[in-house]
Amino acid sequence: MTALSLRDLLDEYDRARAWTDQLTADLDDDTLYWRPSAESSAIAWHLGHQAAVNHFLIRNLMSAEPSPDPDLDPVFDSATPEADRGDLPGRHRLLAYRAAVGERTRAMIERIDQGGVSAPTQMPMIAAGVLVAAINHEYQHDAWVDEMRQLQGLGPGPVPGSGRITMID
């Protein structure tokens, strides 16, 4: 599946999440919650969606743990129609959700890497696939966030600091 170790993939996971933070650190609330049209999602939704998908992957494939904020799961689930998602949470709650999912993901992958799970031979293979999916998903939505930055006249965000990714336009 991948030649990278779980440690290497965790490093890339951290790098992808850090790039998201860099792309959004300078955004005020008006920019973060701005929607280009009624059928489009705000940057804030994409931040929560990245975390929700990450949580769903970990929950469904590895840990079966409850959500750090179950009320937000349907808001950020792309299976929920845009009109039914409700209001986005404020910045603090949104970032707390992202941080909690990131910390739980890291802790689960570290447990797997140390063999502290019930299926220590199989779980590293599953974890590698989940991390690759989570990393790719993070970068995918970061590309959209960068496009929204540019639509709002903010210019392009920083380039991700990884030699392991290929940007596809």
Side-chain angles (χ1 to χ4, degrees), residues 74-127:
V75 173
F76 295 124
D77 188 345
S78 58
T80 305
E82 179 80 37
D84 298 334
R85 291 180 186 160
D87 294 331
L88 295 174
R91 180 186 294 257
H92 177 75
R93 186 175 177 195
L94 170 64
L95 296 180
Y97 180 71
R98 282 185 56 82
V101 169
E103 289 165 12
R104 288 175 173 200
T105 298
R106 177 165 265 293
M108 174 55 68
I109 300 302
E110 287 173 347
R111 267 196 314 277
I112 291 168
D113 194 39
Q114 296 164 4
V117 293
S118 61
T121 305
Q122 294 86 12
M123 288 305 282
M125 292 180 285
I126 294 168

Side-chain angles (χ1 to χ4, degrees), residues 12 15-16 19-20 22-23 50 135-147 149-150 156-169:
E12 193 62 41
R15 195 173 291 111
W19 189 42
T20 303
Q22 288 177 329
L23 282 171
Q50 288 166 317
I135 292 162
N136 287 339
H137 187 252
E138 190 83 13
Y139 282 133
Q140 171 198 355
H141 284 273
D142 285 347
W144 188 91
V145 168
D146 199 35
E147 289 174 17
R149 288 176 57 86
Q150 293 179 53
V159 176
S162 174
R164 293 184 175 134
I165 65 168
T166 301
M167 298 300 283
I168 300 170
D169 188 5

